[in-house]
Structures are given as structure tokens and as C-alpha cells.
Amino acid sequence: MNTVKIAIIGLGYVGLPLARLFATKYPVVGYDIKKKRIKEIASGIDTTLEVESELLQQVLVSNPTEEKGLYPSYEEEDLKHCNHFIVTVPTSVDKNNQPDLQPLLSASKKIAQYLKKGDLVIYESTVYPGATEEDCIPVLEKESGLVFNTDFFVGYSPERISPGDKVKTVENILKVTSGSTPETAQQVNNLYTSVLTSGTHLAPSIKVAEAAKIIENCQRDINIAFVNELAKIFSLMNINTSDVLEAAGTKWNFLPFKPGLVGGHCIGVDPFYLAQKAQQFGYYPEIILSGRRVNDSMGTHVASEVIKLMIDKELKVKGAKVLILGFTFKENCPDFRNTKVIDIVKELNSVRINVTIFDPWVNSEQVKKEFDIQVYSSESEITTKKYDAIVLAVSHQEFLKMDLESLIVKGGIVYDVKCCL
């Protein structure tokens, strides 16, 4: 193999941190179809807040042929300089919760235009077992005219990025690797080992690596669904769920999961990928889909609980003012992909409650464009009135310092979804 020259396809929450890391040692073309995103990165700004400006600026270069460094680009032509292509585009589901592989297939088609003999393609996007070999590789072969495992080779190393986490960053998270041949697998493993401080686990096949990634998220989804169901049961019994979990947590092997809204681009999506593939083999995955149903119902459940509490406090529901704190899918990050806070908003709006949303982390314009709702980003914009109820939906650090009592009417309620107060 010639000198390693890497192309990262997709510079989102996963792609940019990876591109930055590889750029400390190799020449990297960071490709994304979004021109605005590329221009921001080229100026040293990451709006996802995953890569600090100082670290990003240290690796930026102005020419894709430099010996090492990151060259951000929206021009396909720049991919011709590369011989290692790493795909980090998002994988989502459609309105019927069916896997949408179109971004992945489009990326494969684009790569194929520049694929040469001896090149390596590595997929990081989360997929069901078999997607790389059954869906992506045929596209690479067809569009390039090259032969798989003869002219070009393929690896799979699933991403393990946790948006907003400044401790478990890409370089210190152990990575699963795999390849289409034993030699390719070792090549993929060596590539990641060269920049990671946490090491790798070389899986025996691409399908094993794909399956390992997807069950990580399925397991977490099911565990959260369990405590969400417990929260519903204990609410009926008038038992404090947080107190129960604290007591149960004194046992050494009790898993410390908390109830809440399960959104985001991984846990709220990936179980559907495995479920769909299982059904192709004639098996209906009851536990996986049951967990999904429980977690998808939590937004409506929270809204219903708030309304019940308002009625219990003799607060007028119709026309009431409710403040929702947080719109992202998790705390202390700007990522609102697949946020379940929108379910609370819709449910409260359906009974004509006036909802105000405050989140200092999100881009208000992007939220307006996607959901057609207003999210305020400044605390001064929401402190001009008092509210009948406040729903703490996301535990951003800013919310924990707010004087919530000053924002509610006498007899008003604060509903803490995250049990963080």
C-alpha cells in the first residue's frame, strides 16, 4: 500500500473528531456536501462543539496534498488524492421506522467514482449485520468497475462517539475493527491503532463488528425502557422512583440507569435496524420493539403527568403557561436530532397549553426550520413572565443554577424528567 491518504466522508458529530485525530498523523480530506459546514470548519469553528477551535486550527491545511493535516472540502474532485475512504454519514429511519440507507449508498456511489486498485474503504456508520457486504459493496463494484477483494478492500469499524462527552473522546475510546480479508482486517486495525490511545478489538468478521455495534445501543435502549416502565408503575403507586433507584443501587451489580426521554441519532434509531433485519429472517424481536414502544411513549407520558399535577393543584389547564427547559436529546450538547422533547410540546399544545421552550445550547434557526417552533436561547427572554408549570426535560448545567421558584406562579409545579434537582 502506498502512503496512507485518508478521506473522511461526512463531517458531523462522528466524522470531524475522527478527521481531526487522523490529521495529526496523516493527510486527510474531510468531505461533506454541506458548503456552510465546510466553510465553518475551514475557519476553525465546529458548531457541534465536539472539537475545540484550538485543536481544529492546529491541524487545518490549505492544500490536500500536504504531508499531514486536515483539508475540509465540498468538492468531490479532492477525493482523487486519497486511497483510504472512511464513511461516517448518518443512518436514520423513515416515518415508518424503516432503515434509510440512502446517505450510506450515496456516499458509496461517490467514493466509487474515485476508487483505484489497492484502495481501502472503511464504514463507521451504524447498520444492521450484513449491510456493508450486501448493500454497500455491490454499489462500490458497480460504480467503480473494480472487483471486491481483488482490486479494492473493505473494513468496518463502528463509531463510538458520545456527543457532548469531553472525557470519552474518540482517541480514548476502544474501537472495534474488522476487514473483508484477514490481511485487510489487520490493515484496518493497524490504521486505527496508530492514532488511538485506548487500543482496538479486532473482530473476526465485518458482520460480527456490525452486530456488536448495534446491540450496544439496543441493550441501552432496553435498560432505559425498563426503568421508564418502573417510573410509570411507581407513579401510580405514589412512590418516588428516584428514591427506589437510589436504594436499589446500593447492590453491587444493580445497573444505574435512570428514566427519561430516549432520543438522539443512535439509541432511538438503531434498534429498528436490528428489528427489521431480524424480521427478514422470520423472527419478530419482541423485547427490542417493546423497549422502543415504552421509550417512544415517554414524551406523551410526561405531558400527561404534568397535566394531572396541574389539575390536582387546581391550575387551569386550557391557556396555561408551561416552560420547557431543554430541547436537545441529551444534556450539555447542541444535538437535537430525534429529540423526544418535541413529543411533550405537541401533547401539551393539543390541549391548548401555551408552551415556551428555553435551550441555550441549540441553534434556534435550525430548530425553527425543522420543527417550525420557537426556542429561546437567552434566559432574559423567558423571565418576563411566570409559568403554571416548568418541565425540566434536559439537564443542561445552566438549568441547575436557575432560580426556578421565581418563575412559577403560586401553587405551580416543577416536573423534573431527569431526576437531577
Side-chain angles (χ1 to χ4, degrees), residues 96 104 118 145 187 223 231 252 256 288 295 297 339 342 372 420-421:
N96 298 315
L104 200 60
Q187 182 183 342
N223 279 318
W252 65 90
I288 292 172
N295 286 337
S297 73
T339 177
I342 190 64
D372 194 27
C420 61
L421 296 178

Side-chain angles (χ1 to χ4, degrees), residues 137-400:
I137 288 172
V139 173
L140 293 174
E141 283 195 306
K142 179 182 177 183
E143 299 295 329
S144 69
L146 300 176
V147 179
F148 170 54
N149 273 349
T150 298
D151 298 326
F152 71 93
F153 304 86
V154 172
Y156 182 79
S157 180
E159 59 88 4
R160 279 179 167 171
I161 291 287
S162 178
D165 194 327
K166 300 307 179 186
V167 178
K168 296 183 179 67
T169 53
V170 61
E171 57 261 48
N172 54 41
I173 296 176
L174 191 144
K175 205 94 158 55
V176 173
T177 61
S178 64
S180 53
T181 67
E183 295 76 18
T184 303
Q186 195 59 60
Q187 182 183 342
V188 173
N189 196 65
N190 291 343
L191 179 67
Y192 282 95
T193 301
S194 70
V195 292
L196 298 177
T197 59
S198 53
T200 59
H201 173 86
L202 181 54
S205 70
I206 288 176
K207 283 190 176 71
V208 167
E210 290 169 327
K213 167 58 182 178
I214 208 158
I215 70 165
E216 291 172 18
N217 291 336
C218 289
Q219 182 186 69
R220 186 166 176 79
D221 193 41
I222 291 166
N223 279 318
I224 299 173
F226 173 60
V227 293
N228 275 337
E229 189 159 73
L230 292 179
K232 291 182 177 182
I233 294 169
F234 293 144
S235 176
L236 295 172
M237 296 179 175
N238 198 29
I239 300 173
N240 188 301
T241 303
S242 186
D243 290 343
V244 174
L245 294 176
E246 183 180 357
T250 59
K251 188 167 187 254
W252 65 90
N253 60 353
F254 185 82
L255 301 177
F257 286 91
K258 291 184 178 181
L261 305 171
V262 185
H265 212 65
C266 292
I267 300 177
V269 171
D270 296 345
F272 290 120
Y273 272 69
L274 185 56
Q276 192 256 12
K277 194 64 177 178
Q279 289 176 77
Q280 288 181 8
F281 283 81
Y283 182 83
Y284 184 82
E286 297 184 40
I287 292 177
I288 292 172
L289 291 178
S290 176
R292 276 284 76 232
R293 285 192 295 271
V294 170
N295 286 337
D296 275 346
S297 73
M298 286 306 291
T300 301
H301 171 72
V302 167
S304 298
E305 289 292 289
V306 171
I307 292 168
K308 289 176 185 176
L309 287 168
M310 291 175 67
I311 294 171
D312 186 56
K313 293 285 187 178
E314 297 183 349
L315 295 166
K316 185 180 177 182
V317 174
K318 184 179 178 181
K321 297 181 179 67
V322 173
L323 173 64
I324 294 181
L325 298 177
F327 193 75
T328 59
F329 88 90
K330 67 180 291 189
E331 66 278 0
N332 304 325
C333 84
D335 193 353
F336 63 89
R337 292 175 297 174
N338 195 32
T339 177
K340 295 303 176 183
V341 179
I342 190 64
D343 295 343
I344 303 176
V345 176
K346 289 179 178 178
E347 193 68 17
L348 294 177
N349 282 338
S350 71
V351 292
R352 299 185 182 180
I353 288 176
N354 297 314
V355 176
T356 299
I357 310 168
F358 171 50
D359 194 318
W361 285 82
V362 299
N363 184 310
S364 299
E365 292 181 6
Q366 291 178 358
V367 174
K368 180 70 175 177
K369 182 178 180 180
E370 184 165 339
F371 294 100
D372 194 27
I373 58 174
Q374 175 68 55
V375 174
Y376 296 100
S377 56
S378 173
E379 189 173 339
S380 62
E381 295 176 291
I382 55 100
T383 55
T384 56
K385 56 186 174 183
K386 289 185 178 288
Y387 303 89
D388 299 290
I390 296 176
V391 180
L392 200 157
V394 186
S395 56
H396 290 322
Q397 56 195 14
E398 291 87 348
F399 299 156
L400 307 183

Side-chain angles (χ1 to χ4, degrees), residues 45-162:
I45 298 172
D46 174 23
T47 55
T48 69
L49 306 182
E50 290 301 305
V51 179
E52 294 179 5
S53 292
E54 184 179 352
L55 289 177
L56 183 55
Q57 290 169 359
Q58 287 174 1
V59 298
L60 288 173
V61 294
S62 56
N63 193 309
T65 59
E66 295 282 349
E67 289 186 7
K68 68 176 181 179
L70 172 60
Y71 180 76
S73 176
Y74 51 79
E75 299 287 353
E76 287 184 32
E77 279 283 308
D78 289 320
L79 298 177
K80 68 183 180 183
H81 301 288
C82 305
N83 50 31
H84 286 57
F85 300 87
I86 302 179
V87 182
T88 59
V89 298
T91 43
S92 59
V93 292
D94 61 21
K95 62 181 180 179
N96 298 315
N97 291 324
Q98 294 298 303
D100 179 12
L101 293 180
Q102 196 52 51
L104 200 60
L105 300 180
S106 295
S108 300
K109 188 174 182 179
K110 200 177 297 290
I111 289 170
Q113 309 304 313
Y114 302 93
L115 205 57
K116 306 172 292 299
K117 287 189 175 184
D119 284 359
L120 173 64
V121 182
I122 304 170
Y123 291 91
E124 287 216 2
S125 307
T126 305
V127 291
Y128 48 73
T132 300
E133 291 158 302
E134 297 164 15
D135 298 294
C136 299
I137 288 172
V139 173
L140 293 174
E141 283 195 306
K142 179 182 177 183
E143 299 295 329
S144 69
L146 300 176
V147 179
F148 170 54
N149 273 349
T150 298
D151 298 326
F152 71 93
F153 304 86
V154 172
Y156 182 79
S157 180
E159 59 88 4
R160 279 179 167 171
I161 291 287
S162 178

